[in-house]
Amino acid sequence: MRFDEIIEFLEDLGSVLTLRPVAGDGSPEISWGDVFFYYAPDGVVPPGQPFATIVTKDYPDDRESRLDRPGAFRLNVAAGTAEFRRWTGRGPRDHPDTEPVDRSEVDVLFAHPVYGELGWLSVVEPAPRTGAAVQEVLRAAHALARGRHERRAATE
C-alpha cells in the first residue's frame, strides 16, 4: 500500500479525521509531514491519541525503523490487545520469546518500537506481504476508536 492508498483506505472507513501537520499551522515541527487519523464523526479532534499514524522520519526516541531513507515511512496502528496477539503471538505487555525483528525491514508487521506495550503495531512501507493484514488491523483499530467515541458520547 502506498502512502496515499493508506490515507484513502482509512478515510473510506467513515468518520475519520485526517490531520497532516505542516509549517505554519501551529503544530510542532517534528510532526510536519506525518499523518494522524482520529475517529471523529463531528470533525473535531477527540481527546486522546489517534488510532493510526503514518510517520515519515525518525523521532528522537524511535530510530529503529531507519526512516531517514528516501521515501521511507511507517504505518502505526493502535490495534488493541486481540489484534496485537493475533499478529505477534503474544500480549502487548508480554516479552517476546524470540530475538527482536529488524524494525527497518520493509513490509513486515511488528510491535511498535515505543508503543508496542500499549497494543500498537507497525509496518514500514506496507506492500503485498502485509497488505491484507494491514487492512484488517486498520479496520479493527477504527472499530475500537469508534467504540471509545460512542462510550464517551453516552456519558456526556
Side-chain angles (χ1 to χ4, degrees):
M1 297 178 81
R2 292 186 321 268
F3 195 95
D4 290 335
E5 289 175 323
I6 295 167
I7 294 169
E8 181 179 346
F9 178 84
L10 282 164
E11 290 176 344
D12 284 348
L13 292 176
S15 299
V16 172
L17 175 64
T18 302
L19 297 182
R20 297 182 88 159
V22 294
D25 70 0
S27 61
E29 184 175 352
I30 189 77
S31 68
W32 299 349
D34 296 342
V35 187
F36 302 85
F37 303 93
Y38 295 87
Y39 183 83
D42 57 3
V44 176
V45 178
Q49 298 293 317
F51 72 88
T53 66
I54 300 173
V55 295
T56 59
K57 69 193 90 45
D58 291 326
Y59 277 63
D61 62 342
D62 180 6
R63 298 182 185 279
E64 290 183 53
S65 293
R66 295 184 33 246
L67 300 177
D68 53 348
R69 298 171 283 170
F73 69 91
R74 186 180 71 211
L75 172 65
N76 305 301
V77 184
T81 300
E83 288 297 305
F84 187 95
R85 185 177 304 281
R86 177 180 177 202
W87 296 104
T88 66
R90 65 180 179 86
R93 295 182 191 262
D94 298 340
H95 293 287
D97 294 330
T98 60
E99 290 296 313
V101 300
D102 176 358
R103 291 186 172 112
S104 67
E105 188 176 343
V106 170
D107 200 23
V108 174
L109 194 63
F110 56 87
H112 186 285
V114 177
Y115 300 113
E117 288 186 355
L118 299 176
W120 282 72
L121 293 170
S122 298
V123 59
V124 174
E125 300 175 49
R129 187 172 33 183
T130 59
V134 163
Q135 289 181 357
E136 289 180 43
V137 169
L138 288 170
R139 282 188 195 99
H142 179 265
L144 289 171
R146 183 181 60 237
R148 283 189 298 275
H149 175 82
E150 290 169 355
R151 286 189 301 278
R152 198 176 301 122
T155 61
E156 293 176 350

